[in-house]
Amino acid sequence: MKRVLGILVLTVLVCTMSTTAFSKKTKVIEKTFERVESLEIETILGDCTIKKGSGNSIEIRVEYTYDDDNFEVRFKERNGTLLVEEDLDGENVKGESRWLIVVPEGIEIEFESATGELKASGLSGELEANSGTGSMVISDFKGELDVNSGTGDVTLSDADGEFKLNSGTGDVTVMNASGSIDANSGTGNVEIAKSKGDFDVNSGTGNVEASDLLVKEFGEFSSGTGKAEIDLPDGEEYELEISSGTGKAILDCGGADLDAYVEMSARKRDGKISSSFDFEDEEEYERNDDTYIRKWFTKGDGSRKIEIRTGTGRAKISK
């Protein structure tokens, strides 16, 4: 899907602009620490890059352009935890900061920022990251990941583990991941591609798209008012749910053998159901003082269970 390429191009542009911004009056702080059990990073405006190192120490480099009277970096080590944080003092403070942190394998990491972005690569273990407005780009990751941004985009690629990805208004993109994938956006789009495992994917008002998936046990893809469009996943015995409250809920089989029990529903008065397959039967039922229509059919042995539903939009399946 084309939007993934756009994100990669945007990332290159951001890196180029960031380098230019630090070309004048840059000051540097560098520290090295022995390995600890956990690392906590707290920035206010600063962007942060975290990478896996080849040794067993933690290396920290901070570049900044603030006046030294307004900017301070603090390091605290206690009970197996290293805390690193930046502090800004004063009004209308001008400047920027950028962090580069190199860590050993398997360290537990927590990142917090008011507006800073995070880029992390090559990490394993546990990572929790939160930013008010900054974007999150995680790649080549193994372990447990919990990422939240208020307005920034969240991107995950080449990863294996358990993932919770959330943005309030930004887009969420997952590419080439395996494991348990929980991806949500309040108003942005969510796109999952070339991934395998179990999926819980949702957008409040944006579109949800998924392609080239292998579902192990379950996949849930939903949008409140946007479109939920899924290509038929690979996999043997799984449960798949595709839904939209007011938009389209679509399953595209792409010519593949369906081999599933399929149930489709929509509100009788203003929803629609369309299928390239013939239905076996249908019924009406009541929910929340409205009348709905449910239709169903079975192809093959029905080892997969697929439900496609909408309220006032269109539920659709195509061969």
Side-chain angles (χ1 to χ4, degrees), residues 7 11 14 41 43 46-50 110-121 127-139 145-157 164-168 170-174:
I7 290 174
T11 301
V14 169
I41 306 158
T43 73
D47 296 335
C48 182
T49 298
I50 306 175
E110 182 176 339
F111 171 81
E112 295 277 350
S113 182
T115 64
E117 70 175 34
L118 173 66
K119 296 178 182 178
S121 61
L127 172 60
E128 180 180 348
N130 298 277
S131 179
T133 61
S135 61
M136 306 281 186
V137 180
I138 315 295
S139 61
L145 180 65
D146 189 345
V147 173
N148 298 275
S149 179
T151 61
D153 293 339
V154 175
T155 304
L156 174 69
S157 61
K164 293 182 179 180
L165 314 172
N166 182 74
S167 178
D171 295 337
V172 178
T173 304
V174 179

Side-chain angles (χ1 to χ4, degrees), residues 137-286:
V137 180
I138 315 295
S139 61
D140 189 18
F141 180 87
K142 292 183 179 181
E144 296 182 20
L145 180 65
D146 189 345
V147 173
N148 298 275
S149 179
T151 61
D153 293 339
V154 175
T155 304
L156 174 69
S157 61
D158 302 317
D160 183 8
E162 297 183 13
F163 313 113
K164 293 182 179 180
L165 314 172
N166 182 74
S167 178
T169 61
D171 295 337
V172 178
T173 304
V174 179
M175 177 72 69
N176 193 30
S178 62
S180 175
I181 300 172
D182 187 336
N184 300 276
S185 178
T187 61
N189 298 322
V190 183
E191 180 182 352
I192 315 292
K194 297 181 179 178
S195 298
K196 62 182 178 179
D198 295 321
F199 303 87
D200 188 349
V201 181
N202 176 73
S203 177
T205 61
N207 294 329
V208 171
E209 298 181 2
S211 61
D212 295 324
L213 302 187
L214 188 153
V215 175
K216 291 186 175 180
E217 294 185 10
F218 68 88
E220 298 181 14
F221 302 87
S222 64
S223 176
T225 60
K227 175 180 66 175
E229 183 172 7
I230 313 301
D231 291 349
L232 180 67
D234 290 333
E236 297 180 1
E237 297 182 4
Y238 61 68
E239 294 185 5
L240 179 66
E241 295 183 12
I242 307 167
S243 65
S244 176
T246 61
K248 296 178 181 179
I250 302 172
L251 177 64
D252 185 352
C253 296
D257 291 335
L258 184 55
D259 191 17
Y261 166 76
V262 178
E263 186 175 288
M264 306 177 69
S265 61
R267 203 158 79 178
K268 181 179 179 179
R269 184 177 57 182
D270 40 20
K272 295 182 179 180
I273 297 174
S274 60
S275 171
S276 300
F277 304 90
D278 294 330
F279 291 105
E280 296 171 8
D281 207 346
E282 65 179 73
E283 65 180 6
E284 295 184 5
Y285 65 97
E286 299 295 320

Side-chain angles (χ1 to χ4, degrees), residues 12-23:
V12 173
L13 290 174
V14 169
C15 291
T16 304
M17 292 171 62
S18 179
T19 301
T20 303
F22 275 82
S23 62

Side-chain angles (χ1 to χ4, degrees), residues 66-85:
Y66 296 105
D67 188 276
D68 287 331
D69 292 334
N70 303 124
F71 182 76
E72 180 184 5
V73 177
R74 293 191 287 264
F75 305 91
K76 300 177 183 178
E77 189 173 356
R78 183 174 56 192
N79 298 327
T81 298
L82 174 62
L83 170 64
V84 296
E85 58 182 348

